[in-house]
Amino acid sequence: METRAPYVIIGVFVLSAIAAVFGFVYWLNNTGGIGKRDTYQVVFNGPVPGLLVGAAVLFNGIRVGEVTSLEIVADHPHDVHASIAVAEKTPVRADTKVGLDFQGLTGVPVVALEGGEKASAPPVQGALIAEQGAGQSMTQAARDALRKVDKVLSDNATPLHDAITNLSTFAQGLARNTPKLDGIVAGLERMTGATAPPRKVTYDLRAIDTFQSPKVPLEAGLVIAEPTATARLQTQRFLFASDEEAHDAFDNAQWSDSIPALVQEKLLQSFENYDIAHAPVRADPASPAGGTRLVTDLRQFDISSEPHAKAIIALSAKVINEAGEVKAARIFEASAPIDEMTPAKAVSAFDQAFAELGRNLIAWTAAVR
């Protein structure tokens, strides 16, 4: 009795395993997602690179089955026949479109089915015929296109060469006759009354180069930032007081740089002329702040004609130490009369006003310790 017990246990175990296998197969075919399948034959009129047995079959982008077999037909060596098995309720009809799709970065091919236009289309009779060129990947299409372009260029090499030669000859002729063309264009302008737009005249502000003695040396490591200013002052135009209209004489006149950048540049040059040994440096937005900083805010840099024409410059200045503390602050303003309302006379007045304001600013900065 004891000898027969192990055989009984082994027998029960084997029967349980067989039952479990049959149960798994039943579940897989009914509940597990495989279920009943419909089989169709697909004919590809061309190569199907990379397509393998077991590849997915998609219907409107949804996986519904897989490829079950692939074969080459001896009577039609250019064709490829594929058998596909899809879920039973997949609406494959006579107007269903068949092609290949290449998915992912590696371009894995899958059979792509696309539903037709009519829900009442008849069922499939015979094989599904894939679209012409369905097996052609993007890479192959690019190769074919380049091959066609190369053939076109090869067939037309001589005409293209002649056309390029003619263009070169034409360009050389234009270059040789440029003065004549300029004369023709000028003549046409005179005939039509058209005139070229006048050129802009650029003016510069003059840095300060004379100072009263004795001169107090500057503090070493001084940094000067570009003055802050309102959007109105961020321009190269000559500005007039806010309640005055610009004069026509200034339409074609402009400063050499935007007004804040111009004031910063001329202040740096003036500080260098004052004490080159301890000359300040331009603030670099990309580097961390260090040393003593001269921070300015440009308040006014315009022309006022009431009651008398004059150039006005005004700015506020702060000396800030390394800890960010304001050591001193002051407002500077200077003006100079304009003898005649022309750009040249206005620039001369701005030079005078800047010289007065700059000398006071430099002396004040040198005295702050």
Side-chain angles (χ1 to χ4, degrees):
M1 195 65 183
E2 294 179 358
T3 304
R4 294 173 56 188
Y7 294 104
V8 173
I9 295 173
I10 293 172
V12 171
F13 176 77
V14 171
L15 291 175
S16 300
I18 293 172
V21 170
F22 278 105
F24 175 76
V25 171
Y26 177 82
W27 172 83
L28 191 63
N29 280 276
N30 294 277
T31 311
I34 294 180
K36 294 183 180 180
R37 298 299 181 96
D38 291 332
T39 302
Y40 298 95
Q41 191 79 8
V42 180
V43 178
F44 291 95
N45 300 122
V48 286
L51 185 64
L52 301 173
V53 174
V57 176
L58 308 182
F59 190 93
N60 291 346
I62 301 173
R63 178 163 182 162
V64 294
E66 60 277 329
V67 177
T68 57
S69 68
L70 292 169
E71 61 178 347
I72 298 173
V73 183
D75 296 339
H76 300 86
H78 189 69
D79 295 349
V80 175
H81 288 193
S83 296
I84 60 173
V86 299
E88 184 180 20
K89 295 183 180 180
T90 304
V92 179
R93 297 184 176 88
D95 61 346
T96 299
K97 298 178 182 179
V98 184
L100 278 189
D101 193 9
F102 296 87
Q103 297 186 328
L105 297 176
T106 57
V108 177
V110 298
V111 176
L113 305 178
E114 183 179 343
E117 297 294 334
K118 298 180 180 179
S120 59
V124 177
Q125 299 293 332
L128 291 168
I129 307 300
E131 297 179 347
Q132 191 68 28
Q136 188 178 44
S137 65
M138 293 299 293
T139 304
Q140 185 62 38
R143 290 197 190 100
D144 292 344
L146 290 175
R147 194 176 296 113
K148 293 178 182 178
V149 171
D150 183 63
K151 187 177 185 304
V152 171
L153 292 177
S154 299
D155 294 342
N156 297 275
T158 301
L160 287 173
H161 181 269
D162 294 341
I164 294 172
T165 302
N166 293 336
L167 286 174
S168 177
T169 303
F170 180 70
Q172 292 173 5
L174 286 177
R176 288 193 302 269
N177 294 279
T178 297
K180 295 180 182 179
L181 292 174
D182 291 341
I184 293 172
V185 173
L188 290 173
E189 288 180 350
R190 288 192 296 270
M191 289 175 59
T192 59
T195 57
R199 296 177 58 185
K200 290 284 187 181
V201 181
T202 300
Y203 295 91
D204 202 3
L205 194 64
R206 188 172 59 194
I208 309 167
D209 54 9
T210 57
F211 303 90
Q212 297 179 352
S213 297
K215 296 190 293 184
V216 178
L218 294 170
E219 182 179 347
L222 181 65
V223 176
I224 297 180
E226 180 177 315
T228 57
T230 61
R232 175 177 175 272
L233 292 169
Q234 301 285 350
T235 180
Q236 291 181 253
R237 295 183 297 107
F238 281 74
L239 297 177
F240 288 79
S242 57
D243 57 346
E244 298 180 16
E245 294 184 1
H247 289 247
D248 295 340
F250 293 83
D251 288 346
N252 301 311
Q254 65 179 20
W255 293 107
S256 59
D257 203 343
S258 65
I259 294 175
L262 180 66
V263 171
Q264 180 194 28
E265 179 63 29
K266 297 309 173 182
L267 282 177
L268 284 167
Q269 294 177 7
S270 301
F271 271 95
E272 290 172 351
N273 294 338
Y274 177 82
D275 185 4
I276 188 62
H278 305 92
V281 296
R282 189 190 307 268
D284 184 4
S287 61
T292 303
R293 290 176 292 145
L294 176 62
V295 178
T296 57
D297 179 71
L298 191 61
R299 296 186 168 192
Q300 194 171 359
F301 197 99
D302 51 30
I303 299 170
S304 175
S305 57
E306 297 295 339
H308 304 291
K310 60 182 178 181
I312 305 173
I313 304 175
L315 58 80
S316 63
K318 296 182 180 68
V319 177
I320 302 176
N321 61 18
E322 295 183 6
E325 300 172 345
V326 178
K327 298 173 62 176
R330 181 177 167 183
I331 296 176
F332 295 87
E333 183 175 347
S335 62
I338 301 176
D339 299 334
E340 184 181 354
M341 196 60 78
T342 62
K345 294 294 185 179
V347 170
S348 178
F350 274 109
D351 285 340
Q352 296 178 39
F354 181 76
E356 178 185 347
L357 182 146
R359 289 191 186 98
N360 293 335
L361 174 63
I362 292 172
W364 173 77
T365 304
V368 175
R369 298 293 175 181

